[in-house]
Amino acid sequence: MRNKVTVVGAGNVGANCAVRIADKELADVVLVDVVEGVPQGKGLDLLQSGPIQGYDVMVTGANDYEPTANSDIAIITAGFPRKPGMSRDDLLLANYDVVKTATEQVAKYSPNCIIIVVTNPLDAMAQAAYGVSKFSRNRVVGMAGVLDSARFRTFIAMELKVSVENVTAVVMGGHGDTMVPLVRLSGVSGIPLTELMDQATIDQIVTRTRNGGAEIVKYLKTGSAYYAPSAAAVEMAESILKDKKKVLPCAAYLEGEYGINGLFVGVPVKLGAMGIEKIYEISLTPEELALLKKSAAAVQELVDVLKKK
Ligand code: APR
């Protein structure tokens, strides 16, 4: 039997998740969106790419969740982008309502699925999905670190003119300006970054990584990144569906790890058939830990706004 993935939100990120899942022949896909016709149209278009791309998965679209029943994974990308005049908190509250509804429906129709949250502000939205679904913590995971570390890896590879495949990088913390790219644990084929670049270049790359999303928004003007975000979400889905047990930086609900309790924060995890199968609690320097705590505090602020709702 084929696997089944629900993708909530048939916008830029959602549709590209569907494309990548189909191209990799990972699962049948059901796209769900509130806009009438869009998920159906995109689903049919994607289905008709099958004979050319050589995949046999079924891709459909819907405005309700009944067709999503018994999905193995639900990727939640639905939400609004920030509009002029909107505060961070306004976006937070608007997207909370979207993620809440999506999670309720996903949990109703696919009570055994694993939820991958992509909607921003990421860590707070993952926390919302966790709270609403009442799933165990291994079954709700947020996509952020895979994207942030891919950006970090890209910039390192560009600077050194080496294959991106040889570059490994760890980014922890919340998905925002406070994220923590861990230079000490990043490198090229086992060679520490500090052996390959001077501090000024490293600092420049770290700053560019932190602002990676904003750099793209500035170019696109009307939206945010979607190729790399969808690739990141699908790498996570693939690791779960194939039980690959990849170790990836993801937003996970911490219960005391790193001294953080009751909060989604980006940390290295093992992703397999059970979802988050392990949270790696690595030893950090006091400086790194302080940055992680600062980042967690920024996530906590948003979560506190939601608590008042
Ligand atoms: N249920 C289902 N879909 C919804 C809902 C809802 N309640 N509300 C909005 N949507 C849909 C919109 O109709 C739109 O098609 O979510 C989609 C969002 O798509 P885009 O506007 O293209 O945004 P996208 O670039 O895909 O980003 C989605 O991912 O990376 C994050 O910050 C990004 O939070 C944003 C999310």
Side-chain angles (χ1 to χ4, degrees):
M1 221 173 70
R2 285 193 215 142
N3 288 313
K4 184 170 174 182
V5 174
T6 295
V7 179
V8 187
N12 283 331
V13 177
N16 277 285
C17 283
V19 171
R20 295 182 189 286
I21 291 168
D23 276 344
K24 286 174 169 261
E25 220 172 27
L26 291 179
D28 290 339
V29 182
V30 184
L31 274 168
V32 181
D33 201 287
V34 279
V35 182
E36 263 177 52
V38 166
Q40 292 87 345
K42 289 189 181 181
L44 191 56
D45 192 7
L46 258 171
L47 188 65
Q48 293 165 356
S49 315
I52 306 162
Q53 292 293 93
Y55 55 73
D56 276 308
V57 297
M58 179 53 70
V59 189
T60 51
N63 299 118
D64 67 309
Y65 287 77
E66 216 177 321
T68 70
N70 300 317
S71 289
D72 300 284
I73 292 181
I75 304 178
I76 299 181
T77 77
F80 303 100
R82 196 156 146 184
K83 296 201 188 86
M86 236 178 152
S87 75
R88 221 170 156 209
D89 286 358
D90 290 340
L91 180 70
L92 176 76
L93 296 173
N95 280 354
Y96 172 77
D97 287 336
V98 171
V99 170
K100 180 172 178 276
T101 313
T103 304
E104 281 165 356
Q105 295 297 311
V106 159
K108 177 176 167 195
Y109 285 99
S110 302
N112 300 314
C113 77
I114 290 164
I115 299 178
I116 299 174
V117 181
V118 181
T119 305
N120 275 314
L122 188 274
D123 307 271
M125 292 303 107
Q127 185 110 6
Y130 173 67
V132 171
S133 67
K134 301 198 170 59
F135 284 3
S136 51
R137 72 166 175 161
N138 59 305
R139 292 206 287 132
V140 181
V141 57
M143 187 294 292
V146 175
L147 171 63
D148 296 330
S149 61
R151 286 178 173 150
F152 196 22
R153 289 167 67 194
T154 303
F155 300 144
I156 293 169
M158 277 164 67
E159 178 63 32
L160 297 173
K161 300 187 177 56
V162 298
S163 166
V164 284
E165 288 184 61
N166 287 148
V167 183
T168 51
V170 181
V171 178
M172 290 175 62
H175 184 51
D177 341 327
T178 60
M179 73 176 76
V180 190
L182 287 173
V183 173
R184 187 176 59 87
L185 301 176
S186 304
V188 180
S189 294
I191 308 168
L193 206 53
T194 41
E195 300 264 340
L196 301 166
M197 286 182 201
D198 58 33
Q199 194 56 46
T201 311
I202 292 175
D203 291 346
Q204 230 173 32
I205 288 179
V206 164
T207 305
R208 193 170 177 195
T209 301
R210 282 211 179 100
N211 301 325
E215 185 177 357
I216 290 172
V217 170
K218 216 168 131 200
Y219 281 123
L220 296 181
K221 295 186 180 70
T222 54
S224 48
Y226 48 94
Y227 293 123
S230 58
V234 172
E235 181 181 25
M236 292 164 64
E238 182 174 23
S239 190
I240 293 167
L241 292 170
K242 294 186 177 169
D243 194 23
K244 283 173 80 81
K245 304 196 190 294
K246 279 192 173 184
V247 178
L248 300 168
C250 299
Y253 187 74
L254 301 186
E255 287 175 329
E257 295 88 354
Y258 299 97
I260 299 166
N261 208 1
L263 197 67
F264 270 81
V265 178
V267 291
V269 306
K270 188 200 288 182
L271 282 187
M274 304 304 291
I276 297 178
E277 296 186 349
K278 183 178 169 67
I279 293 176
Y280 292 89
E281 199 174 358
I282 53 175
S283 28
L284 298 176
T285 65
E287 294 77 27
E288 290 164 349
L289 194 61
L291 288 173
L292 183 65
K293 290 276 174 71
K294 192 174 155 216
S295 189
V299 176
Q300 185 71 58
E301 256 181 55
L302 298 183
V303 168
D304 288 345
V305 173
L306 292 181
K307 272 191 197 147
K308 288 185 205 129
K309 256 191 82 104

